[in-house]
Structures are given as C-alpha cells and as structure tokens.
Amino acid sequence: MISIRGLRFQYKGAKRAALDNINLDIADGDFVGIIGTSGAGKSTLTYALNGIVPHHFTGDFYGQVLVDGMDTVDSSPEQLSAKIGSVFQDIDAQMVASLVEDEMAFGLENFGVPRAEIGGRIDEALAMVGIGPLRYRMIRSLSGGEKQKVAIAAIVALRPSIVLLDEPTGELDPQSSRHIFSMLRELNERFGLTIVVVEQKIMLLCEFVRKLVVMEQGRIAHAGAVREVLAHSDEMEAIGVNVPRVVTLANRLRAAGLYDGPLPLNIDEAEVMLKTILSTDYAD
Ligand SMILES: Nc1ncnc2c1ncn2[C@@H]1O[C@H](COP(=O)(O)OP(=O)(O)OP(=O)(O)O)[C@@H](O)[C@H]1O
C-alpha cells in the first residue's frame, strides 16, 4: 500500500516545485499507469516512492510518503527496496554483469540472500517473468525487450511487493512493448505484485492498467479508474496528453446525447458502441 499526503518537492536551485500538493493512494495488488507531458514530474514521483527523493537529491521536501507503512524520510532507499523494486529508464546503466544469471545473483548477494538460496530465487524470478531459457545468455547478446525482462526479473528476484518502472518500453518497438506489458499483467494478476509504471504510450496503458494518474506541472490533474479518467479527454488533450481517438469520438457522442454506454478503449469496443448507436435508427 502506498499513501502520499501533501507531497511537495522542489529540487535545490529549481525555480518551481517538481511535485506540488500530491495526494495519492495505491492499493495492494493494483496496476497503475502514470502519464503526463515532459517535465510534469513523473520521474520525480517515482523517486519520491523509492526514497531517491529526498535521500539522493537535495531540495525542499514537505508532506508524507508511506510505502507499506514505511515513511520514506525515515527509511533509506536500501531499506525501501525490500518493499518497492525499481526498474529505471536506463537499464544498461543498471546492469553490472555479463551473464544473465550473474546479473541476478549480484542483486541477491547485495541483498544478503544466503548463497544456498540464490539459485532457487533466480529460477523463481526467471519463471515469473517467463524468460527461463535466457538464464545462461550473455546480456549483450539480448534484444532490447529481453534485456528489459532481465532487468525486471532481477528486481522480482528480490521479492518486493511493489514494482516501479519508469518508461520500460521507451526503447522498444510496439510488439516488444506489448510483451512487456503482458508480462507485467501476469506479475500483477498471477503473483499479486503491485505495479506502478510511468509510460508515454497511452494505448498500452488503456489496454493493460486498471488506474491512471495524469500529471501536469508537478500536480495530479486526474487519477482514477482508466475509463473514469478518460472521460476527461478534452482536458487531457488541453494539457498535451493524447488520448485514443476512439475515446475522443465516444466522449463527443456522449456530449451530443447520442451515447451513454461504457467508454470504448479499442476498435472492437468502438464497433460495439457504433452498432448500439446505429441500431436505434432501426428501432420502432
Ligand atoms: N536534478 C534536478 N535538478 C533540478 N531540477 C530538476 C532535476 N530533475 C528534474 N528537475 C525538474 O523537475 C521537473 C520534473 O522533472 P521530471 O524529470 O520528474 O519530469 P518527467 O515528467 O519525468 O519528464 P520526462 O517525461 O521528460 O522524463 C522538471 O521541471 C525538471 O526540469
């Protein structure tokens, strides 16, 4: 469980706060996507969750962030990493070993996991992420999507309850991006991990996450279930966040009084919506 109350953070020397009056709860087992334009504060919010803010970046910090009951100000990022595992944007910089197995063992050793347990923990995490066959591969021989999965498996091996990812598909093509999100859904639904992901690709978020947080200039502009948030598509477009065209179409049809059913998030659902609307022409 994550609970953020009245959070404000201003980097030292910055003219304005990177985070301003943030209030947010994330329940255990939730799958949350964070979206917003460049500079909106998405990465800073992830730093506030894993303790990098305020421990590694100096600045003015107000408010409270609790991660599974641990106050991020009173706990070190190392202590917090037992609860919340972070996969950063630059995974190449995060990886230290040449071999997949060694990369995973490195994190576990650092975490103080007894040697006898390490092999089993690596097996478990590779299976959860669905990349068992990559265990003995050289990391430099992997595709971008495979590397991303290894980075995620290395974090999952530490058995956090929350996995936090900052743009995990930034470098990936559409198909590999979907693979990453399918895998995150599996971790969420099958293994109960709470997933919090910063992502620019709105279609992926609409398809996979349950809740959306939209950020604008350090604040939360909207937060809630995906369809609830997308009902505000005009406001999202106004702050520079593109929404799927099917959503804009549905919201306009709603505003015109032509439709009051559920918001479609993809072409199939849009087809159902249009059939519902058009069928009224033929009703007696
Ligand atoms: N180390 C820093 N020192 C001073 N200001 C910073 C620092 N890092 C970020 N900022 C500022 O804080 C604000 C929020 O930045 P942040 O990186 O969190 O946004 P973002 O939404 O993740 O952007 P992007 O999508 O471009 O990564 C921006 O105005 C940025 O210039």
Side-chain angles (χ1 to χ4, degrees):
M1 162 93 193
I2 292 171
S3 161
I4 305 178
R5 288 288 169 273
L7 172 63
R8 183 176 193 281
F9 181 73
Q10 185 157 349
Y11 287 99
K12 193 171 180 202
K15 288 207 177 66
R16 65 171 183 87
L19 298 175
D20 198 5
N21 193 28
I22 302 284
N23 293 288
L24 183 69
D25 288 325
I26 298 178
D28 290 340
D30 218 338
F31 190 173
V32 178
I34 301 174
I35 195 163
T37 49
S38 185
K42 304 178 298 292
S43 295
T44 309
L45 183 60
T46 67
Y47 300 154
L49 292 175
N50 59 26
I52 291 180
V53 160
H55 295 285
H56 290 183
F57 282 117
T58 44
D60 292 328
F61 182 101
Y62 301 94
Q64 189 181 49
V65 180
L66 296 176
V67 175
D68 279 353
M70 289 170 83
D71 190 316
T72 59
V73 170
D74 303 332
S75 318
S76 66
E78 291 68 34
Q79 286 168 322
L80 288 162
S81 66
K83 304 276 183 199
I84 183 162
S86 305
V87 183
F88 298 103
Q89 259 171 13
D90 186 356
I91 48 166
D92 284 326
Q94 210 173 151
M95 296 209 180
V96 289
S98 315
L99 207 64
V100 168
E101 182 185 50
D102 294 345
E103 175 66 32
M104 298 188 61
F106 180 80
L108 289 161
E109 278 164 17
N110 265 350
F111 230 63
V113 174
R115 249 165 211 287
E117 258 187 53
I118 287 181
R121 293 276 285 265
I122 294 175
D123 282 339
E124 172 191 272
L126 290 173
M128 283 169 76
V129 174
I131 52 167
L134 299 187
R135 182 170 181 151
Y136 304 106
R137 288 276 296 274
M138 299 293 283
I139 289 176
R140 66 177 146 73
S141 76
L142 302 176
S143 71
E146 288 170 337
K147 255 193 228 174
Q148 188 61 257
K149 287 185 179 178
V150 169
I152 295 169
I155 292 300
V156 165
L158 307 176
R159 294 185 179 158
S161 56
I162 304 159
V163 179
L164 178 64
L165 307 101
D166 196 351
E167 297 202 33
T169 73
E171 311 272 302
L172 304 182
D173 59 64
Q175 198 191 8
S176 313
S177 301
R178 290 196 84 248
H179 283 158
I180 295 294
F181 268 79
S182 303
M183 182 267 284
L184 292 176
R185 174 151 69 191
E186 184 94 350
L187 289 178
N188 174 252
E189 288 183 353
R190 218 166 125 210
F191 302 103
L193 286 169
T194 306
I195 310 282
V196 181
V197 57
V198 171
E199 176 60 61
Q200 302 282 5
K201 296 174 185 151
I202 184 98
M203 292 303 292
L204 278 178
L205 292 179
C206 289
E207 183 174 352
F208 290 96
V209 305
R210 273 196 290 278
K211 302 248 175 69
L212 270 182
V213 174
V214 182
M215 295 194 66
E216 185 208 10
Q217 292 195 19
R219 291 170 179 268
I220 293 181
H222 298 285
V226 173
R227 282 185 171 80
E228 263 166 53
V229 169
L230 290 175
H232 302 276
S233 60
D234 284 352
E235 292 156 54
M236 287 172 69
E237 295 277 0
I239 59 174
V241 176
N242 291 326
V243 296
R245 275 178 286 182
V246 288
V247 170
T248 309
L249 174 66
N251 282 334
R252 297 222 173 131
L253 291 167
R254 276 178 163 182
L258 292 168
Y259 179 67
D260 63 358
L263 203 60
L265 297 183
N266 53 45
I267 302 289
D268 289 344
E269 291 174 13
E271 187 182 340
V272 173
M273 171 185 76
L274 291 174
K275 281 184 175 155
T276 311
I277 295 170
L278 296 175
S279 67
T280 58
D281 279 355
Y282 302 97
D284 287 330

